[in-house]
Amino acid sequence: MMRSPAYAGARVLLVMIALALSLFLSGDAAPALAQDAGPPPAGEEEVIYENKVGAILENLTTLPYDIVTGKMEKYPWDPEKTRFLSRGGTAIGPWAFLDQNKGRTVMLYLDADGMVVMVEPVAM
């Protein structure tokens, strides 16, 4: 039985798509989301963090205070300690940040305990 050349091309395309998807989901593509944070806003201390996580922002909750991602992962945040930055790099309130960035890619900066210490939008 003969197979058409289109079948082999479609199979190669599907394999390439599967590989790209597996790379993205495995986290190997996460460094591509990383973007160096600019200097801290005037008069504020530099943020100390242990890890960065790129995620799509879904929601902010209170009691408990969590940042919920598009994959329904939850990261704790503290209204007194977490800094939310606008696209211009200035500090804004958490609810204004959610309004501006819901459904968009953001970078979460986590301290050693996994608490979010800073959130900023990233260009994708």
Side-chain angles (χ1 to χ4, degrees), residues 15 19 23 29 31 37 39 43 50-51 56 67 69 98 103 112 115 118 120:
V15 169
L19 284 173
L23 273 175
E50 293 288 322
N51 193 14
I56 295 177
I67 294 175
T69 71
L98 177 64
M115 175 80 65
M118 186 170 74
E120 69 176 342

Side-chain angles (χ1 to χ4, degrees), residues 6-19:
Y7 175 77
R11 196 166 87 188
V12 169
L13 179 62
L14 287 174
V15 169
M16 290 177 64
I17 291 171
L19 284 173

Side-chain angles (χ1 to χ4, degrees), residues 57 60 67 83-87 92-102 105-108 119-121:
L57 179 63
L60 299 177
I67 294 175
R83 184 186 307 167
F84 292 86
L85 301 179
S86 68
R87 291 211 177 274
I92 61 173
W95 309 116
F97 185 87
L98 177 64
D99 289 342
Q100 292 175 11
N101 297 291
K102 184 173 183 172
T105 304
V106 297
M107 188 63 66
L108 307 175
V119 186
E120 69 176 342

Side-chain angles (χ1 to χ4, degrees), residues 7-109:
Y7 175 77
R11 196 166 87 188
V12 169
L13 179 62
L14 287 174
V15 169
M16 290 177 64
I17 291 171
L19 284 173
L21 184 60
S22 68
L23 273 175
F24 182 76
L25 294 177
S26 72
D28 290 343
L33 296 175
Q35 174 179 333
D36 290 335
E44 293 191 25
E45 298 177 15
E46 183 175 347
V47 173
I48 306 298
Y49 64 92
E50 293 288 322
N51 193 14
K52 293 192 283 189
V53 176
I56 295 177
L57 179 63
E58 180 63 29
N59 201 6
L60 299 177
T61 64
T62 58
L63 301 174
Y65 285 95
D66 284 326
I67 294 175
V68 182
T69 71
K71 294 181 179 179
M72 295 302 146
E73 299 164 317
K74 296 180 181 179
Y75 295 90
W77 65 284
D78 183 334
E80 300 295 320
K81 297 177 183 174
T82 304
R83 184 186 307 167
F84 292 86
L85 301 179
S86 68
R87 291 211 177 274
T90 59
I92 61 173
W95 309 116
F97 185 87
L98 177 64
D99 289 342
Q100 292 175 11
N101 297 291
K102 184 173 183 172
R104 296 184 180 186
T105 304
V106 297
M107 188 63 66
L108 307 175
Y109 294 82

